[in-house]
């Protein structure tokens, strides 16, 4: 047997059968479900009179449509309400465990999977949501699927797939003070582009990735899809097993020991070959800010909005011009001169406890700038919210003028009431700066939680290192 | 899924790269619990001048006269010509549903995002990857010739141009087979129940923590 990458090992362990042409039937260990991409899948099951293959492999939670304000009155928007009620009904009918909107464990699907121990190293994890790549941080093979595949997994516990190529993104060296996982992944996307990972599964490695907490690794893997790769992953180490230990759905007793022994093998062999290797020097990464309408349109905070005239490729140049028009920006503007209307700290990328702690450290003793209309903190789950409140972070934020909200996807994609109005500019810790993503005509700049907090208290982008 | 063998159709061009699934179908329309009816909201933010919501009568909304799909010459198009990384971003299958509902059966581009590419096949849309030069030529041809049509044949994996030229493309053997015959993936997989059960038996021994007795 030749040397294998982590991805090779995860893939090989899940092949149920392989066709001559390389198309495989892959077994799925964990299926996570939310309200937006599942109703048509359940309807498909009903129409075909099929039932879930393995009920207990599924876990559901409403997150995209849920209000982040007082929930005691339910959801005001009738269309959103129907979608959440449909999830409740489907889970009850098919016997699937669901953390409902009023459950203290409710939260963003990609936050609660790891938090509950429902995501384990070595698993295949899928969900009808592209940010499922997040779960790869635990040494799992995790990726987003469409609704037809949601139905396919429900009905068969398998997916029809072709193996991707192997890419290693190695980030070595020490990350500077005030620089976070978000800056690493934005720098990677700036380097390889939004399609750089298309056709690949990306393993993130190197000393800077090893030095990250498991939460930080989740932030990096979360945005693998923004580099075009369906799956991102990090090898299992002691941090991974310590993270999983004791979580509600994690194995216990003898089975735990057996699992940990198996998980220790979940890393690429020294001799393993990758189809493509990218190397980044962590010590050179500065806080990152996106200026355009794709995540690859990113520069360091000390930089300027680039000039499309400097781009040789016509299609790219026109894309840059269109992005500048949409964003209402002039080429050459220093990033530090860009003023913000709203601040959003949340999303499956950056809503975990350490994200909130870092933001609170910047905010403590300061006030949200008067020019900022709204600054939101949306924790990733009910449990994170509670933890933050126990640490007094909610008070830090509220005293500074932030709104402290209930958990959900919120303004990352604005399916609930939290959104940008046309022309509003937002410093956001989310993952996509696409046109209209946070609201029709809204302008999104992707940054780390520390950078978003710094922008909140100064009213414009600033190098957070100056405030620490 | 409807099968696809051969199609002769009008071509409409979307001349921008990285067209993401948020642009193809904005999130407010994802609140629907149906698979159909997304066509009128395809490219909603580019296509209309106002902000669209699910309960609107789209026939009464102000259309953006400059948006390419609103030009009279592209009405009835069934083939979409696009640039690199088409369909990036969200995994929403509402994107291919909207394209299909609008009338597109074929999308030609230099590259596609992985999840979108897969979602197309599952829904009877043929995504064709051609090299950049070939795509450039098609964009130039479409711009110059009103009523420009192509014939796309999946049996022979060829595209026939109006002047008689042909271009070749390749589709995965399995995906081609499913599309040609309109096969349902789930029914195909359920032919292998024995293999799936055998796999589960083996894994229960190798990795019992994946099959906890109490379940979720």
């Amino acid at each position: 047997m030749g040397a294998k990458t982590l991805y090779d090992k995860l893939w090989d362990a899940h092949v149920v059968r392989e066709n001559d042409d390389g198309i495989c039937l892959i077994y799925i260990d964990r299926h996570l479900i939310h309200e937006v991409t599942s109703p048509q899948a359940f309807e498909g099951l009903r129409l075909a009179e099929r039932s879930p293959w393995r009920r207990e492999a599924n876990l559901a939670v409403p997150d995209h449509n849920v209000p982040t304000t007082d929930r005691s009155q339910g959801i005001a928007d009738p269309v959103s309400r129907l979608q959440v009620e449909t999830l409740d009904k489907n889970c009850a009918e098919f016997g699937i465990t669901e953390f409902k909107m009023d459950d203290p464990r409710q939260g963003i699907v990609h936050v609660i999977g790891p938090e509950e121990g429902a995501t384990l190293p070595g698993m295949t994890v899928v969900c009808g949501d592209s940010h499922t790549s997040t779960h790869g941080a635990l040494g799992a093979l995790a990726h987003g699927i469409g609704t037809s595949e949601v139905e396919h997994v429900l009905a068969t516990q398998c997916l029809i797939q072709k193996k991707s190529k192997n890419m290693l993104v190695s980030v070595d060296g020490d990350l500077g003070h005030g620089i976070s996982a978000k800056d690493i992944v934005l720098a990677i996307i700036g380097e390889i582009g939004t399609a750089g990972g298309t056709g690949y599964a990306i393993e993130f490695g190197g000393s800077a990735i090893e030095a990250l907490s498991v939460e930080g690794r989740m932030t990096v893997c979360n945005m693998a899809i923004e580099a075009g790769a369906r799956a991102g992953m990090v090898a299992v180490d002691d941090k991974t097993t310590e993270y999983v230990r004791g979580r509600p759905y994690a194995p216990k007793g003898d089975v735990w020991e057996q699992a940990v022994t198996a998980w220790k093998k979940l890393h690429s062999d020294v001799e393993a070959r990758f189809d493509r290797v990218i190397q980044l020097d962590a010590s050179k990464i500065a806080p990152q800010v996106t200026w355009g309408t794709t995540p690859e349109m990113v520069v360091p905070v000390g930089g300027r909005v680039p000039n499309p005239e400097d781009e040789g490729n016509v299609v790219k140049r026109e894309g840059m011009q269109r992005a500048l028009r949409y964003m209402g920006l002039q080429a050459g503007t220093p990033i530090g001169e860009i003023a913000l209307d709203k601040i959003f700290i949340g999303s499956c990328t950056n809503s975990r406890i350490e994200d909130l702690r870092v933001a609170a450290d910047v905010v403590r003793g300061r006030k949200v700038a008067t020019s900022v209309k709204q600054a939101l903190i949306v924790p990733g789950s009910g449990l994170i919210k509670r933890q933050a409140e126990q640490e007094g972070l909610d008070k830090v934020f509220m005293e500074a003028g932030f709104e402290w909200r209930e958990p959900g996807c919120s303004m990352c994609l604005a399916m609930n009431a939290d959104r940008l109005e046309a022309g509003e500019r937002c410093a956001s810790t989310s993952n996509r700066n696409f046109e209209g993503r946070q609201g029709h005509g809204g302008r999104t700049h992707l940054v780390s939680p520390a950078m978003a907090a710094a922008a909140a208290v100064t009213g414009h982008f600033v190098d957070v290192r100056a405030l620490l | 899924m409807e099968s696809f063998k051969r199609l002769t159709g009008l071509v409409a061009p979307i001349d921008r790269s990285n067209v993401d699934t948020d642009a193809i179908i904005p999130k407010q329309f994802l609140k629907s619990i149906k698979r159909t009816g997304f066509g009128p909201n395809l490219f909603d933010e580019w296509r209309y001048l106002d902000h669209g919501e699910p309960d609107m009568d789209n026939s009464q909304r102000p259309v953006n006269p400059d948006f390419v799909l609103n030009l009279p010459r592209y009405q009835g198009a069934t083939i979409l010509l696009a640039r690199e990384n088409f369909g990036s971003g969200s995994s929403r299958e509402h994107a291919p549903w909207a394209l299909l509902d609008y009338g597109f059966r074929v999308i030609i581009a230099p590259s596609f995002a992985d999840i979108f590419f897969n979602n197309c096949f599952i829904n009877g849309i043929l995504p064709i990857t051609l090299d950049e030069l070939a795509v450039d030529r098609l964009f130039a041809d479409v711009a110059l010739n009103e009523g420009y049509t192509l014939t796309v044949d999946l049996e022979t994996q060829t595209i026939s141009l109006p002047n008689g030229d042909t271009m070749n493309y390749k589709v995965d053997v399995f995906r081609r087979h499913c599309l040609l015959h309109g096969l349902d993936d789930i029914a195909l997989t359920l032919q292998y129940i024995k293999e799936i059960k055998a796999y589960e038996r083996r894994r229960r021994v190798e990795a019992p923590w994946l099959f906890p007795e109490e379940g979720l």
Side-chain angles (χ1 to χ4, degrees):
Chain A
M1 281 252 277
K4 288 180 175 185
T5 65
L6 170 59
Y7 173 60
D8 294 338
K9 292 180 186 181
L10 292 169
W11 176 270
D12 291 350
H14 290 89
V15 174
V16 173
R17 81 184 296 280
E18 181 167 357
N19 283 355
D20 298 340
D21 57 1
I23 297 278
C24 293
L25 201 58
I26 293 294
Y27 192 81
I28 302 303
D29 297 313
R30 175 72 67 225
H31 183 209
L32 301 166
I33 297 169
H34 65 83
E35 79 277 20
V36 181
T37 54
S38 65
Q40 299 88 349
F42 283 112
E43 184 62 18
L45 282 189
R46 262 191 295 271
L47 289 172
E49 296 181 0
R50 289 175 177 137
S51 46
W53 179 276
R54 212 176 120 214
R55 261 183 314 122
E56 65 275 19
N58 300 281
L59 177 62
V61 66
D63 56 3
H64 286 61
N65 283 280
V66 300
T68 57
T69 48
D70 177 21
R71 289 180 181 169
S72 56
Q73 305 303 311
I75 303 175
D77 175 359
V79 194
S80 284
R81 188 169 65 231
L82 176 64
Q83 202 163 49
V84 171
E85 286 170 357
T86 303
L87 179 69
D88 294 349
K89 266 189 224 153
N90 284 328
C91 289
E93 179 184 338
F94 290 101
I96 287 168
T97 301
E98 180 196 6
F99 296 168
K100 290 191 185 177
M101 197 167 79
D102 57 358
D103 189 306
R105 299 167 296 178
Q106 182 270 341
I108 305 172
V109 66
H110 306 308
V111 173
I112 68 160
E115 186 173 85
E116 290 296 318
T119 302
L120 296 174
M123 273 184 166
T124 41
V125 181
V126 297
C127 174
D129 190 287
S130 60
H131 292 110
T132 309
S133 56
T134 312
H135 307 260
L138 291 158
L141 175 55
H143 59 80
I145 55 178
T147 297
S148 295
E149 288 179 315
V150 169
E151 185 182 340
H152 195 281
V153 173
L154 279 167
T156 70
Q157 212 53 47
C158 292
L159 278 179
I160 298 169
Q161 295 230 298
K162 202 168 178 180
K163 197 178 172 193
S164 303
K165 289 178 283 183
N166 277 289
M167 183 189 292
L168 174 67
V169 176
S170 184
V171 190
D172 291 282
D174 295 330
L175 215 50
H177 182 53
I179 317 294
S180 71
K182 183 65 162 287
D183 300 305
I184 293 181
V185 71
L186 284 172
I188 291 169
I189 297 165
E191 178 82 18
I192 69 174
T194 48
T198 303
Y200 292 91
I202 300 181
E203 178 178 345
F204 298 98
S207 60
I209 301 292
E210 287 163 22
L212 292 175
S213 66
V214 173
E215 285 90 342
R217 297 171 187 178
M218 287 186 213
T219 300
V220 173
C221 290
N222 173 273
M223 290 189 72
I225 184 67
E226 288 359 297
R230 288 206 298 180
M233 62 197 78
V234 175
V236 172
D237 61 9
D238 291 345
K239 283 186 194 171
T240 322
T241 45
E242 282 316 303
Y243 175 91
V244 175
R245 186 193 295 272
R247 296 197 178 261
Y249 295 121
K252 313 270 184 307
D254 291 349
V255 183
W256 166 259
E257 297 302 330
Q258 199 185 341
V260 170
T261 306
W263 295 342
K264 284 193 193 304
K265 296 175 194 146
L266 295 176
H267 55 78
S268 291
D269 296 331
V270 182
E271 304 284 308
R273 263 202 66 261
F274 289 87
D275 300 292
R276 194 175 168 199
V277 177
I278 307 286
Q279 285 177 310
L280 262 79
D281 180 350
S283 68
K284 295 205 172 116
I285 298 175
Q288 305 284 305
V289 181
T290 66
W291 57 268
T293 52
T294 75
E296 73 181 24
M297 294 173 167
V298 64
V299 288
V301 63
R304 290 168 184 270
V305 175
N307 192 337
E309 298 308 319
D310 300 336
E311 173 60 54
N313 179 304
V314 183
V315 177
K316 274 204 168 143
R317 183 161 64 233
E318 287 172 0
M320 290 171 75
Q321 285 162 342
R322 200 160 27 234
L324 288 185
R325 275 197 301 276
Y326 181 84
M327 294 296 288
L329 290 173
Q330 299 289 327
T333 305
I335 296 298
E337 288 180 10
I338 298 174
L340 285 315
D341 301 302
K342 287 186 175 169
I343 309 293
F344 173 63
I345 298 180
S347 86
C348 56
T349 315
N350 282 126
S351 63
R352 298 178 182 84
I353 191 68
E354 73 170 30
D355 298 319
L356 303 187
R357 286 178 189 146
V358 166
D361 284 344
V362 175
V363 166
R364 198 169 279 115
R366 296 186 168 108
K367 295 277 181 207
V368 171
T370 51
S371 56
V372 171
K373 294 184 219 169
Q374 187 179 42
L376 291 184
I377 308 277
V378 184
S381 72
L383 298 182
I384 290 171
K385 180 167 186 261
R386 193 161 71 195
Q387 169 79 24
E389 287 169 353
Q390 282 164 359
E391 295 179 19
L393 305 185
D394 56 328
K395 298 216 172 50
V396 173
F397 289 122
M398 287 191 284
E399 277 163 17
F402 279 89
E403 295 174 36
W404 180 248
R405 295 290 189 91
E406 297 296 322
C409 299
S410 181
M411 208 198 277
C412 173
L413 87 167
M415 275 190 79
N416 69 353
D418 310 335
R419 63 187 64 175
L420 299 182
E421 298 304 322
E424 283 183 340
R425 192 179 294 287
C426 181
S428 178
T429 66
S430 55
N431 40 56
R432 289 192 175 131
N433 50 351
F434 298 158
E435 286 184 20
R437 171 81 178 180
Q438 294 193 291
H440 179 72
R443 294 161 172 168
T444 304
H445 295 272
L446 303 176
V447 289
S448 71
M451 283 290 289
V457 297
T458 56
H460 55 85
F461 285 118
V462 61
D463 190 331
V464 65
R465 291 174 292 189
L467 302 187
L468 293 173
Chain B
M1 165 179 97
E2 201 182 326
S3 65
F4 182 101
K5 291 187 171 66
R6 193 167 192 269
L7 170 81
T8 299
L10 184 67
V11 183
I14 293 266
D15 196 1
R16 50 171 95 189
S17 54
N18 296 308
V19 171
D20 57 74
T21 53
D22 275 76
I24 296 173
I25 184 84
K27 71 283 196 145
Q28 62 269 33
F29 305 107
L30 273 50
K31 296 178 185 183
S32 167
I33 56 173
K34 296 190 229 146
R35 262 175 204 266
T36 51
F38 296 100
N41 301 110
L42 175 71
F43 298 118
D44 197 273
E45 298 217 349
W46 297 340
R47 195 162 147 197
Y48 301 98
L49 294 170
D50 63 347
H51 171 65
E53 284 294 334
D55 50 1
M56 282 180 169
D57 176 359
N58 294 297
S59 64
Q60 301 300 311
R61 295 175 58 197
V63 297
N64 174 5
D66 299 328
F67 181 57
V68 65
L69 292 188
N70 288 334
L71 302 180
R73 61 181 287 194
Y74 297 122
Q75 298 315 300
T78 52
I79 299 172
L80 185 66
L81 184 61
R83 293 290 186 184
E84 60 168 15
N85 201 27
F86 189 83
S88 58
S90 153
S91 62
R92 59 187 70 167
E93 199 163 314
H94 313 68
W97 292 339
L99 287 158
L100 190 66
D101 202 49
Y102 183 90
F104 289 116
R105 291 300 306 276
V106 175
I107 308 170
I108 301 172
S111 60
F112 294 89
D114 284 344
I115 301 177
F116 174 81
F117 190 68
N118 196 39
N119 281 340
C120 281
F121 283 111
I122 292 172
N123 287 284
I125 296 176
L126 173 60
I128 297 176
T129 309
L130 292 180
D131 66 55
E132 217 144 318
L133 279 178
V135 172
D136 281 345
R137 179 191 167 180
L138 292 178
F139 267 101
D141 281 4
V142 171
L144 287 174
N145 302 287
E146 195 164 333
Y148 188 81
T149 60
L150 292 172
T151 297
V152 175
D153 192 316
L154 183 57
E155 304 258 17
T156 58
Q157 299 181 87
T158 54
I159 301 172
S160 307
L161 280 59
N163 71 350
D165 287 0
T166 58
M167 292 176 171
N168 298 308
Y169 62 93
K170 274 209 83 72
V171 174
D172 266 349
V173 178
F174 173 76
R175 284 294 167 211
R176 179 163 160 263
H177 175 74
C178 290
L179 204 46
L180 282 172
H181 302 285
L183 299 178
D184 166 24
D185 276 10
I186 296 178
L188 284 176
T189 297
L190 288 173
Q191 295 174 351
Y192 304 113
I193 285 180
K194 263 195 199 156
E195 279 96 331
I196 301 171
K197 293 210 160 151
Y199 174 88
E200 284 182 329
R201 276 196 299 277
R202 178 161 64 79
R203 286 293 273 179
R204 267 177 209 279
V205 177
E206 283 174 6
W209 57 90
L210 296 174
F211 299 85
E213 276 160 31
E214 64 270 35
L216 273 188

